Protein backbone atom coordinates (compact mmCIF):
# COMPACT_ATOMS: atom_id res chain seq x y z
CA UNK A 1 0.00 0.00 0.00
CA UNK A 2 1.23 3.48 -0.70
CA UNK A 3 1.68 5.23 2.57
CA UNK A 4 0.21 8.54 1.52
CA UNK A 5 0.16 10.92 4.44
CA UNK A 6 -1.19 14.43 4.33
CA UNK A 7 -1.55 17.08 6.97
CA UNK A 8 -4.48 18.35 4.93
CA UNK A 9 -6.45 15.09 4.98
CA UNK A 10 -10.20 14.82 5.53
CA UNK A 11 -11.56 13.71 8.87
CA UNK A 12 -14.51 11.36 8.75
CA UNK A 13 -15.19 12.12 12.42
CA UNK A 14 -15.43 15.91 12.03
CA UNK A 15 -19.13 15.99 12.93
CA UNK A 16 -18.53 14.49 16.40
CA UNK A 17 -18.27 16.86 19.36
CA UNK A 18 -15.11 15.46 20.94
CA UNK A 19 -15.15 17.99 23.78
CA UNK A 20 -18.48 16.59 24.94
CA UNK A 21 -17.54 13.00 24.16
CA UNK A 22 -14.37 13.05 26.25
CA UNK A 23 -15.45 15.81 28.64
CA UNK A 24 -12.08 17.54 28.48
CA UNK A 25 -12.85 21.28 28.35
CA UNK A 26 -9.31 22.31 29.32
CA UNK A 27 -7.77 20.52 26.36
CA UNK A 28 -7.43 21.28 22.71
CA UNK A 29 -7.69 18.44 20.23
CA UNK A 30 -6.14 17.58 16.92
CA UNK A 31 -5.83 14.53 14.74
CA UNK A 32 -2.50 12.88 14.09
CA UNK A 33 -2.40 11.64 10.49
CA UNK A 34 1.09 10.16 10.64
CA UNK A 35 -0.29 6.63 10.61
CA UNK A 36 -3.03 7.32 8.07
CA UNK A 37 -2.50 5.22 4.95
CA UNK A 38 -4.46 5.80 1.76
CA UNK A 39 -4.33 4.57 -1.79
CA UNK A 40 -6.77 4.41 -4.69
CA UNK A 41 -7.89 0.91 -3.78
CA UNK A 42 -7.86 0.81 0.00
CA UNK A 43 -8.70 3.37 2.65
CA UNK A 44 -7.86 2.59 6.23
CA UNK A 45 -8.76 5.24 8.72
CA UNK A 46 -8.70 2.96 11.74
CA UNK A 47 -5.11 3.97 12.56
CA UNK A 48 -5.96 7.59 13.27
CA UNK A 49 -4.93 8.51 16.76
CA UNK A 50 -6.75 11.21 18.68
CA UNK A 51 -4.33 13.25 20.73
CA UNK A 52 -4.92 15.92 23.33
CA UNK A 53 -2.69 18.83 24.19
CA UNK A 54 -2.79 21.49 26.86
CA UNK A 55 -3.84 24.86 25.44
CA UNK A 56 -0.41 26.46 25.76
CA UNK A 57 1.39 23.49 24.17
CA UNK A 58 -1.06 23.37 21.27
CA UNK A 59 -0.80 27.11 20.64
CA UNK A 60 3.00 26.91 20.58
CA UNK A 61 2.94 24.17 17.92
CA UNK A 62 0.22 25.99 15.99
CA UNK A 63 2.23 29.21 15.98
CA UNK A 64 5.31 27.43 14.64
CA UNK A 65 3.27 25.84 11.84
CA UNK A 66 1.64 29.14 10.89
CA UNK A 67 4.98 30.94 10.96
CA UNK A 68 6.51 28.25 8.74
CA UNK A 69 3.57 28.37 6.33
CA UNK A 70 3.64 32.15 6.00
CA UNK A 71 7.38 32.13 5.48
CA UNK A 72 7.76 29.21 3.13
CA UNK A 73 4.56 29.23 1.08
CA UNK A 74 4.36 32.93 0.30
CA UNK A 75 6.07 32.42 -3.07
CA UNK A 76 6.24 29.10 -4.88
CA UNK A 77 4.42 26.07 -3.54
CA UNK A 78 3.87 22.42 -4.46
CA UNK A 79 0.40 21.03 -5.13
CA UNK A 80 0.61 17.26 -5.55
CA UNK A 81 -1.50 14.22 -6.30
CA UNK A 82 -0.64 10.54 -6.56
CA UNK A 83 -1.70 7.12 -7.74
CA UNK A 84 -0.53 3.70 -6.62
CA UNK A 85 -1.13 0.53 -8.64
CA UNK A 86 0.20 -2.58 -6.87
CA UNK A 87 0.84 -5.56 -9.08
CA UNK A 88 -1.54 -8.47 -8.78
CA UNK A 89 -0.01 -10.69 -6.10
CA UNK A 90 -2.37 -12.43 -3.63
CA UNK A 91 0.54 -13.04 -1.25
CA UNK A 92 1.34 -9.31 -1.11
CA UNK A 93 -1.89 -7.42 -1.85
CA UNK A 94 -0.41 -4.15 -0.62
CA UNK A 95 2.55 -4.40 -2.96
CA UNK A 96 6.05 -3.19 -2.11
CA UNK A 97 5.87 0.54 -2.91
CA UNK A 98 5.12 3.34 -0.46
CA UNK A 99 4.94 7.11 -0.65
CA UNK A 100 3.91 10.22 1.25
CA UNK A 101 2.83 13.76 0.40
CA UNK A 102 3.27 16.41 3.09
CA UNK A 103 1.95 19.55 1.41
CA UNK A 104 2.10 21.72 4.53
CA UNK A 105 5.88 21.34 4.58
CA UNK A 106 6.20 20.96 0.80
CA UNK A 107 7.85 17.55 0.89
CA UNK A 108 7.15 14.29 -0.95
CA UNK A 109 8.78 10.88 -0.97
CA UNK A 110 8.63 7.46 -2.61
CA UNK A 111 10.11 4.09 -1.72
CA UNK A 112 10.18 0.70 -3.42
CA UNK A 113 10.76 -2.45 -1.39
CA UNK A 114 13.35 -4.70 -3.01
CA UNK A 115 11.59 -7.80 -4.32
CA UNK A 116 14.58 -10.12 -3.89
CA UNK A 117 13.75 -10.51 -0.21
CA UNK A 118 10.79 -12.73 -1.11
CA UNK A 119 13.27 -15.61 -1.52
CA UNK A 120 13.84 -15.39 2.23
CA UNK A 121 10.13 -15.14 2.99
CA UNK A 122 10.34 -11.39 3.71
CA UNK A 123 7.88 -8.78 2.43
CA UNK A 124 10.06 -5.75 1.71
CA UNK A 125 6.94 -3.65 1.28
CA UNK A 126 6.66 -3.56 5.07
CA UNK A 127 10.11 -1.97 5.27
CA UNK A 128 9.23 0.58 2.55
CA UNK A 129 6.02 1.59 4.32
CA UNK A 130 7.76 1.99 7.68
CA UNK A 131 10.54 4.01 6.05
CA UNK A 132 8.03 6.42 4.47
CA UNK A 133 6.04 6.71 7.69
CA UNK A 134 9.22 7.64 9.54
CA UNK A 135 10.20 10.03 6.75
CA UNK A 136 6.87 11.79 7.16
CA UNK A 137 7.41 12.12 10.92
CA UNK A 138 10.98 13.38 10.43
CA UNK A 139 9.83 15.93 7.84
CA UNK A 140 7.78 17.60 10.56
CA UNK A 141 10.70 17.54 12.98
CA UNK A 142 12.99 19.04 10.35
CA UNK A 143 10.48 21.74 9.47
CA UNK A 144 10.32 22.82 13.10
CA UNK A 145 14.09 23.47 12.93
CA UNK A 146 13.86 25.51 9.71
CA UNK A 147 14.18 24.10 6.20
CA UNK A 148 13.60 20.43 5.49
CA UNK A 149 16.81 18.66 4.51
CA UNK A 150 15.94 15.51 2.48
CA UNK A 151 19.16 13.69 3.34
CA UNK A 152 18.66 14.31 7.06
CA UNK A 153 15.10 13.04 6.66
CA UNK A 154 16.45 9.83 5.13
CA UNK A 155 19.12 9.47 7.80
CA UNK A 156 16.67 9.80 10.68
CA UNK A 157 13.98 7.64 9.03
CA UNK A 158 16.56 4.97 8.25
CA UNK A 159 17.77 4.98 11.86
CA UNK A 160 14.22 4.48 13.15
CA UNK A 161 13.10 1.81 10.67
CA UNK A 162 13.56 -1.71 12.01
CA UNK A 163 11.49 -3.99 9.74
CA UNK A 164 13.21 -6.69 7.75
CA UNK A 165 13.97 -6.04 4.10
CA UNK A 166 15.22 -2.99 2.22
CA UNK A 167 14.01 -0.41 -0.26
CA UNK A 168 15.01 2.39 -2.56
CA UNK A 169 14.00 5.91 -1.50
CA UNK A 170 13.67 9.41 -2.91
CA UNK A 171 12.77 12.49 -0.84
CA UNK A 172 12.12 15.90 -2.44
CA UNK A 173 11.32 19.23 -0.79
CA UNK A 174 10.63 22.72 -2.10
CA UNK A 175 12.68 25.61 -0.77
CA UNK A 176 10.52 28.54 -1.86
CA UNK A 177 12.98 31.12 -0.50
CA UNK A 178 15.61 29.87 -2.95
CA UNK A 179 13.05 28.89 -5.66
CA UNK A 180 14.56 25.43 -5.76
CA UNK A 181 13.83 21.82 -5.07
CA UNK A 182 16.25 19.81 -2.95
CA UNK A 183 16.32 16.02 -3.29
CA UNK A 184 18.09 12.98 -1.90
CA UNK A 185 17.82 9.74 -3.85
CA UNK A 186 18.98 6.19 -3.17
CA UNK A 187 18.48 3.59 -5.91
CA UNK A 188 16.28 3.52 -8.98
CA UNK A 189 13.25 5.49 -7.84
CA UNK A 190 13.47 9.12 -8.90
CA UNK A 191 11.92 12.11 -10.61
CA UNK A 192 11.76 14.25 -13.73
CA UNK A 193 11.56 18.05 -13.76
CA UNK A 194 9.42 19.26 -16.66
CA UNK A 195 9.19 22.82 -17.93
CA UNK A 196 6.75 23.84 -20.68
CA UNK A 197 6.21 20.20 -21.61
CA UNK A 198 9.92 19.34 -21.89
CA UNK A 199 12.04 17.31 -19.47
CA UNK A 200 14.91 19.53 -18.32
CA UNK A 201 16.27 17.16 -15.67
CA UNK A 202 16.05 13.47 -14.84
CA UNK A 203 17.50 12.10 -11.61
CA UNK A 204 20.27 9.55 -12.20
CA UNK A 205 19.80 5.88 -11.31
CA UNK A 206 22.02 4.41 -8.63
CA UNK A 207 22.69 0.73 -9.20
CA UNK A 208 25.55 -1.75 -9.10
CA UNK A 209 24.24 -3.60 -12.09
CA UNK A 210 21.03 -4.37 -13.95
CA UNK A 211 18.29 -5.01 -11.38
CA UNK A 212 20.61 -4.29 -8.41
CA UNK A 213 19.84 -0.77 -7.14
CA UNK A 214 21.35 0.94 -4.13
CA UNK A 215 18.99 0.42 -1.20
CA UNK A 216 18.40 1.21 2.45
CA UNK A 217 17.67 -1.39 5.10
CA UNK A 218 19.19 -4.73 5.96
CA UNK A 219 22.07 -4.37 3.53
CA UNK A 220 25.45 -2.67 3.25
CA UNK A 221 24.11 0.65 1.94
CA UNK A 222 23.08 3.55 4.17
CA UNK A 223 21.94 7.16 3.58
CA UNK A 224 25.53 8.31 3.05
CA UNK A 225 25.28 6.92 -0.51
CA UNK A 226 22.31 9.19 -1.32
CA UNK A 227 22.71 11.38 -4.37
CA UNK A 228 21.84 14.95 -3.37
CA UNK A 229 20.51 17.49 -5.84
CA UNK A 230 19.31 21.10 -5.80
CA UNK A 231 17.57 22.45 -8.90
CA UNK A 232 16.10 25.85 -9.62
CA UNK A 233 12.38 25.75 -10.35
CA UNK A 234 9.88 28.17 -11.87
CA UNK A 235 6.17 28.68 -11.61
CA UNK A 236 4.28 26.11 -13.73
CA UNK A 237 7.11 23.56 -13.64
CA UNK A 238 5.92 19.99 -13.07
CA UNK A 239 7.64 17.24 -11.09
CA UNK A 240 6.90 13.64 -12.00
CA UNK A 241 8.11 11.41 -9.17
CA UNK A 242 7.90 7.63 -9.22
CA UNK A 243 9.26 4.22 -8.45
CA UNK A 244 10.83 2.05 -11.14
CA UNK A 245 7.37 0.75 -12.01
CA UNK A 246 6.86 4.12 -13.69
CA UNK A 247 10.41 4.85 -14.82
CA UNK A 248 11.10 1.38 -16.29
CA UNK A 249 7.90 1.38 -18.33
CA UNK A 250 7.66 4.96 -19.60
CA UNK A 251 9.86 6.60 -22.21
CA UNK A 252 10.68 10.26 -21.69
CA UNK A 253 8.84 11.17 -24.89
CA UNK A 254 5.68 9.47 -23.63
CA UNK A 255 5.79 11.36 -20.35
CA UNK A 256 6.37 14.66 -22.15
CA UNK A 257 3.41 14.09 -24.46
CA UNK A 258 1.05 13.20 -21.60
CA UNK A 259 2.21 16.21 -19.55
CA UNK A 260 1.67 18.56 -22.51
CA UNK A 261 -1.87 17.25 -22.94
CA UNK A 262 -2.47 17.58 -19.21
CA UNK A 263 -1.39 21.24 -19.37
CA UNK A 264 -3.73 21.88 -22.33
CA UNK A 265 -6.62 20.09 -20.60
CA UNK A 266 -5.86 21.76 -17.25
CA UNK A 267 -5.77 18.45 -15.42
CA UNK A 268 -5.30 18.36 -11.67
CA UNK A 269 -2.14 16.69 -10.31
CA UNK A 270 -3.94 13.50 -9.32
CA UNK A 271 -5.54 13.24 -12.76
CA UNK A 272 -2.14 13.55 -14.42
CA UNK A 273 -0.67 10.95 -12.04
CA UNK A 274 -3.46 8.53 -12.97
CA UNK A 275 -2.86 8.99 -16.70
CA UNK A 276 0.86 8.34 -16.33
CA UNK A 277 0.18 5.35 -14.07
CA UNK A 278 -2.30 3.80 -16.49
CA UNK A 279 0.08 4.08 -19.45
CA UNK A 280 2.91 2.61 -17.37
CA UNK A 281 0.59 -0.27 -16.43
CA UNK A 282 -0.35 -0.87 -20.06
CA UNK A 283 3.30 -0.84 -21.15
CA UNK A 284 4.25 -3.23 -18.34
CA UNK A 285 2.09 -5.95 -19.92
CA UNK A 286 3.18 -5.25 -23.50
CA UNK A 287 5.69 -7.95 -24.42
CA UNK A 288 6.89 -5.99 -27.44
CA UNK A 289 7.04 -2.45 -26.06
CA UNK A 290 10.30 -0.54 -26.44
CA UNK A 291 10.77 0.33 -22.77
CA UNK A 292 13.69 1.70 -20.75
CA UNK A 293 13.71 -1.62 -18.88
CA UNK A 294 14.07 -3.65 -22.08
CA UNK A 295 16.87 -1.43 -23.37
CA UNK A 296 18.72 -1.53 -20.05
CA UNK A 297 18.59 -5.34 -20.05
CA UNK A 298 20.65 -5.42 -23.27
CA UNK A 299 18.62 -8.17 -24.84
CA UNK A 300 17.89 -10.19 -21.69
CA UNK A 301 14.33 -8.93 -21.49
CA UNK A 302 11.72 -7.74 -24.01
CA UNK A 303 8.77 -5.47 -23.45
CA UNK A 304 7.64 -3.95 -20.19
CA UNK A 305 8.25 -4.90 -16.58
CA UNK A 306 5.33 -6.03 -14.43
CA UNK A 307 5.83 -4.17 -11.16
CA UNK A 308 4.16 -2.00 -8.53
CA UNK A 309 3.65 1.49 -9.94
CA UNK A 310 3.74 4.68 -7.88
CA UNK A 311 3.36 8.07 -9.54
CA UNK A 312 3.30 11.50 -7.89
CA UNK A 313 2.56 14.57 -9.99
CA UNK A 314 3.62 17.80 -8.27
CA UNK A 315 2.77 21.20 -9.75
CA UNK A 316 4.96 24.18 -8.87
CA UNK A 317 2.59 27.12 -8.42
Amino acid sequence: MAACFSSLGHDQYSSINFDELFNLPRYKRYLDFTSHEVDDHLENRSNKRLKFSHDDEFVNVEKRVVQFSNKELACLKIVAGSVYIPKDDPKKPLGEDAHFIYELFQTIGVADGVGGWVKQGIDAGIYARELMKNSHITTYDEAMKGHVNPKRVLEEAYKNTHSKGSSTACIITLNSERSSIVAANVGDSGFLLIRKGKIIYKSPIQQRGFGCPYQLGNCKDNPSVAHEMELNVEKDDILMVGTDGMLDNMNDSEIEEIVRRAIEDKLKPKELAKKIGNIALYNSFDRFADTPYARASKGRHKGGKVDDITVIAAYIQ
Side-chain angles (χ1 to χ4, degrees), residues 12-50:
Q12 65 175 341
Y13 303 112
S14 58
S15 62
I16 298 177
N17 189 331
F18 283 102
D19 294 333
E20 293 180 3
L21 182 61
F22 290 93
N23 191 27
L24 293 170
R26 292 183 59 254
Y27 286 71
K28 293 281 186 177
R29 56 177 170 77
Y30 67 99
L31 286 172
D32 177 10
F33 288 86
T34 57
S35 62
H36 179 46
E37 298 186 355
V38 175
D39 67 57
D40 277 356
H41 306 285
L42 299 170
E43 185 168 348
N44 176 11
R45 297 178 189 264
S46 62
N47 301 358
K48 286 186 180 179
R49 295 170 291 174
L50 184 63

Side-chain angles (χ1 to χ4, degrees), residues 26 30 72 76 88 91 95 98 121 132 161 186 196 214 225:
R26 292 183 59 254
Y30 67 99
E72 297 300 323
L76 296 177
D88 187 13
K91 295 181 180 180
M132 288 295 96
T161 301
V186 176
K196 297 178 180 178
Y214 287 23
V225 305

Side-chain angles (χ1 to χ4, degrees), residues 289-306:
D290 178 23
T291 64
Y293 182 72
R295 292 194 297 274
S297 74
K298 298 181 179 179
R300 286 173 285 178
H301 182 88
K302 293 183 179 179
K305 176 189 177 186
V306 177

Side-chain angles (χ1 to χ4, degrees), residues 127-159:
Y127 182 91
R129 290 188 287 276
E130 186 182 355
L131 183 69
M132 288 295 96
K133 178 180 177 180
N134 288 330
S135 295
H136 178 272
I137 294 170
T138 306
T139 294
Y140 174 86
D141 295 338
E142 280 286 302
M144 292 301 98
K145 301 174 186 176
H147 290 298
V148 176
N149 182 310
K151 188 171 183 180
R152 284 206 301 265
V153 169
L154 276 183
E155 288 170 343
E156 193 66 21
Y158 168 79
K159 184 172 67 176

Side-chain angles (χ1 to χ4, degrees), residues 1-256:
M1 175 186 287
C4 179
F5 308 100
S6 175
S7 60
L8 307 178
H10 297 290
D11 174 19
Q12 65 175 341
Y13 303 112
S14 58
S15 62
I16 298 177
N17 189 331
F18 283 102
D19 294 333
E20 293 180 3
L21 182 61
F22 290 93
N23 191 27
L24 293 170
R26 292 183 59 254
Y27 286 71
K28 293 281 186 177
R29 56 177 170 77
Y30 67 99
L31 286 172
D32 177 10
F33 288 86
T34 57
S35 62
H36 179 46
E37 298 186 355
V38 175
D39 67 57
D40 277 356
H41 306 285
L42 299 170
E43 185 168 348
N44 176 11
R45 297 178 189 264
S46 62
N47 301 358
K48 286 186 180 179
R49 295 170 291 174
L50 184 63
K51 291 187 176 181
F52 296 92
S53 171
H54 286 290
D55 288 348
D56 55 347
E57 294 174 352
F58 184 86
V59 169
N60 287 337
V61 172
E62 188 176 46
K63 281 182 179 178
R64 281 186 287 169
V65 172
V66 170
Q67 288 170 355
F68 185 95
S69 299
N70 290 340
K71 179 180 178 182
E72 297 300 323
L73 306 186
C75 300
L76 296 177
K77 66 176 182 179
I78 284 177
V79 178
S82 64
V83 65
Y84 176 47
I85 308 173
K87 63 185 177 184
D88 187 13
D89 185 348
K91 295 181 180 180
K92 291 185 289 185
L94 303 183
E96 295 172 330
D97 284 5
H99 73 280
F100 74 91
I101 298 172
Y102 207 155
E103 285 197 358
L104 181 60
F105 298 126
Q106 299 291 274
T107 303
I108 55 184
V110 296
D112 178 7
V114 176
W117 286 98
V118 71
K119 297 176 183 178
Q120 300 182 39
I122 295 171
D123 179 359
I126 296 173
Y127 182 91
R129 290 188 287 276
E130 186 182 355
L131 183 69
M132 288 295 96
K133 178 180 177 180
N134 288 330
S135 295
H136 178 272
I137 294 170
T138 306
T139 294
Y140 174 86
D141 295 338
E142 280 286 302
M144 292 301 98
K145 301 174 186 176
H147 290 298
V148 176
N149 182 310
K151 188 171 183 180
R152 284 206 301 265
V153 169
L154 276 183
E155 288 170 343
E156 193 66 21
Y158 168 79
K159 184 172 67 176
N160 294 320
T161 301
H162 305 295
S163 295
K164 295 180 180 180
S166 61
S167 80
T168 66
C170 181
I171 307 290
I172 306 168
T173 193
L174 174 69
N175 185 327
S176 59
E177 284 189 342
R178 296 169 60 94
S179 296
S180 67
I181 56 168
V182 183
N185 186 52
V186 176
D188 56 5
S189 295
F191 67 93
L192 303 95
L193 178 60
I194 301 170
R195 182 169 298 158
K196 297 178 180 178
K198 289 287 187 182
I199 295 171
I200 62 171
Y201 183 83
K202 185 174 184 178
S203 60
I205 293 174
Q206 288 184 310
Q207 59 182 8
R208 293 183 169 81
F210 179 70
C212 299
Y214 287 23
Q215 53 202 267
L216 301 177
N218 297 269
C219 57
K220 62 182 179 181
D221 293 330
N222 60 61
S224 67
V225 305
H227 181 71
E228 296 182 88
M229 299 149 273
E230 181 170 10
L231 305 168
N232 291 331
V233 292
E234 299 177 1
K235 186 177 181 297
D236 297 325
D237 283 355
I238 294 177
L239 272 174
M240 295 305 310
V241 186
T243 55
D244 61 346
M246 178 189 84
L247 298 171
D248 280 344
N249 289 303
M250 295 287 294
N251 291 303
D252 291 355
S253 59
E254 292 177 294
I255 294 175
E256 288 177 334

